[in-house]
Amino acid sequence: AQECQNLEVERQRRLERIKQKQGQLQELILQQIAFKRLVQRNRAAEQHAGRAPPPNSVINLPFIIVNTSKRTVIDCSISNDKFEYLFNFDNMFEIHDDIEVLKRMGMACGLEAGRCSPEDLKEARALVPKALEPYVTEMATGPITNVYMTGA
Amino acid sequence: FYQDLQKEVSELTEAEEKLDELITKCNLQLKLLTEDTQNKKLGYVMCQDLRRSFDSPDQLVIVIRAPAETQMQVSEPSEGYQVSLKSTQGPIDVFLCPEN
Amino acid sequence: RTRILVSIGESFGTSDKFQKINAMVNSRDWSLKRYGCFDRNSASKPLKRL
């Protein structure tokens, strides 16, 4: 009975770790697809325009954004060498990283929300290595809950 | 019951090892992808992309581009919130995303 | 005082890096002198959800 109990504890622990790692894998797949589609979009736009966009109209990755209401008063102090900044906000704000912005731009084909059209799914599957294709298919309708032991 | 448990735990071990292998590969692929020179040049968003990420026009969007390992600390002083940025590897760029 | 420290400057970190900060900042009752009792309806609207 004791050995069964120990195994049961081990089983629970493994299940939790697998669930956490499935979430980690899902995020990595989203990031890979979103970044590849962003690069594809920009390459096609530059080819179409025949030139790169003006430098002051683009924001290169990596970046983070802070968004807040326009009525927020923000006190900002900056060191001379721009190595240190101090902001004081008097209103609420949100901070997001670049990958979150890419998801909101639709670069992850809606996989982050488990809402991906068949056409987008086809495109997303083509952007990842074979071993990840079954995970992308699963993500099209919800979070990853399986582990595929073979590419199939 | 014990043998069933043993079998299940061994399958779970295999599954976890498979996930570890895939995560390692994905991290490597992403690193190679983002470090590729061409991709570095093409890895950008336009200001209007940011604008479109927020549906309400009354949003102020501050963009922060910082060198690796820059520390951001958000603390709750007596009033409002304080956000401090400290870089050790180069200057930090902070600018407002233009309206149009 | 609550204090959260994150490292920035790299792309594609963990996706929930800023969730704790956003939760902390937006859970606070912003009844500041400046706005009297800050009207939550006029607070910054939630971001567009896909």
Side-chain angles (χ1 to χ4, degrees):
Chain A
Q2 181 60 43
E3 282 175 23
C4 277
Q5 197 180 351
N6 295 346
L7 264 185
E8 185 55 40
V9 167
E10 171 68 10
R11 175 180 168 277
Q12 279 309 320
R13 213 179 301 133
R14 287 223 177 253
L15 284 170
E16 276 150 30
R17 280 210 303 267
I18 283 173
K19 188 170 168 50
Q20 185 261 329
K21 289 176 179 177
Q22 286 167 327
Q24 202 180 337
L25 178 64
Q26 172 151 333
E27 184 60 26
L28 285 167
I29 292 172
L30 285 174
Q31 293 176 1
Q32 189 174 136
I33 291 171
F35 185 73
K36 284 183 174 177
R37 291 188 79 226
L38 177 75
V39 166
Q40 276 178 358
R41 181 201 75 163
N42 292 341
R43 181 179 289 119
E46 290 191 11
Q47 280 163 2
H48 178 73
R51 58 173 176 79
N56 64 350
S57 69
V58 303
I59 299 156
N60 276 88
L61 275 61
F63 64 85
I64 63 172
I65 57 164
V66 180
N67 78 288
T68 183
S69 160
K70 276 183 180 153
R71 292 178 305 128
T72 301
V73 175
I74 307 170
D75 297 323
C76 174
S77 323
I78 309 174
S79 65
N80 290 332
D81 58 6
K82 291 178 67 176
F83 275 49
E84 292 191 36
Y85 284 72
L86 186 64
F87 300 96
N88 276 295
F89 288 80
D90 79 342
N91 190 351
M92 54 184 75
F93 58 86
E94 289 202 346
I95 303 177
H96 294 285
D97 61 8
D98 41 20
I99 194 66
E100 181 62 28
V101 172
L102 296 193
K103 288 177 189 172
R104 290 170 199 275
M105 286 166 59
M107 287 294 152
C109 305
L111 290 167
E112 74 284 354
R115 286 196 298 269
C116 179
S117 68
E119 304 74 44
D120 280 347
L121 173 56
K122 192 159 171 264
E123 181 186 350
R125 278 172 59 98
L127 288 172
V128 298
K130 205 135 195 64
L132 298 177
E133 286 183 13
Y135 294 98
V136 174
T137 303
E138 193 177 357
M139 287 162 67
T141 53
I144 294 175
T145 56
N146 291 305
V147 181
Y148 300 89
M149 300 313 283
T150 61
Chain B
F1 177 62
Y2 180 78
Q3 278 163 6
D4 289 350
L5 260 183
Q6 244 182 349
K7 181 168 177 296
E8 188 177 349
V9 168
S10 119
E11 284 166 359
L12 290 175
T13 306
E14 233 183 291
E16 188 177 2
E17 283 162 5
K18 182 70 183 172
L19 282 171
D20 288 337
E21 177 200 328
L22 287 172
I23 287 169
T24 306
K25 279 183 183 167
C26 271
N27 273 313
L28 180 61
Q29 284 157 8
L30 208 51
K31 187 169 165 33
L32 296 174
L33 205 58
T34 50
E35 287 177 359
D36 171 84
T37 322
Q38 265 305 312
N39 289 345
K40 263 195 176 146
K41 256 191 271 172
L42 290 163
Y44 59 78
V45 298
M46 313 294 289
C47 295
Q48 62 259 30
D49 291 324
L50 286 190
R51 286 263 139 240
R52 268 184 237 128
S53 297
F54 306 96
D55 55 358
S56 26
D58 80 332
Q59 288 293 299
L60 202 64
V61 181
I62 302 164
V63 182
I64 299 174
R65 296 203 68 244
E69 292 161 37
T70 297
Q71 293 301 306
M72 168 187 263
Q73 177 174 286
V74 181
S75 48
E76 185 184 3
S78 54
E79 187 174 284
Y81 269 89
Q82 204 161 68
V83 177
S84 71
L85 302 173
K86 274 197 176 64
S87 159
T88 54
Q89 298 191 27
I92 302 168
D93 253 351
V94 177
F95 51 93
L96 282 183
C97 178
E99 299 277 324
N100 44 14
Chain C
R1 288 187 187 178
T2 315
R3 188 182 297 246
I4 298 181
L5 191 61
V6 292
S7 174
I8 61 173
E10 296 91 8
S11 257
F12 307 126
T14 52
S15 70
D16 57 358
K17 188 170 4 182
F18 299 110
Q19 273 169 13
K20 267 190 291 185
I21 292 176
N22 293 333
M24 174 177 83
V25 170
N26 290 283
S27 65
R28 179 193 172 117
D29 177 17
W30 288 83
S31 56
L32 296 175
K33 278 204 282 300
R34 190 179 301 280
Y35 295 116
C37 176
F38 184 71
D39 169 13
R40 294 190 73 78
N41 300 327
S42 61
S44 51
K45 283 189 204 150
L47 303 178
K48 172 160 71 175
R49 293 280 176 268
L50 289 175

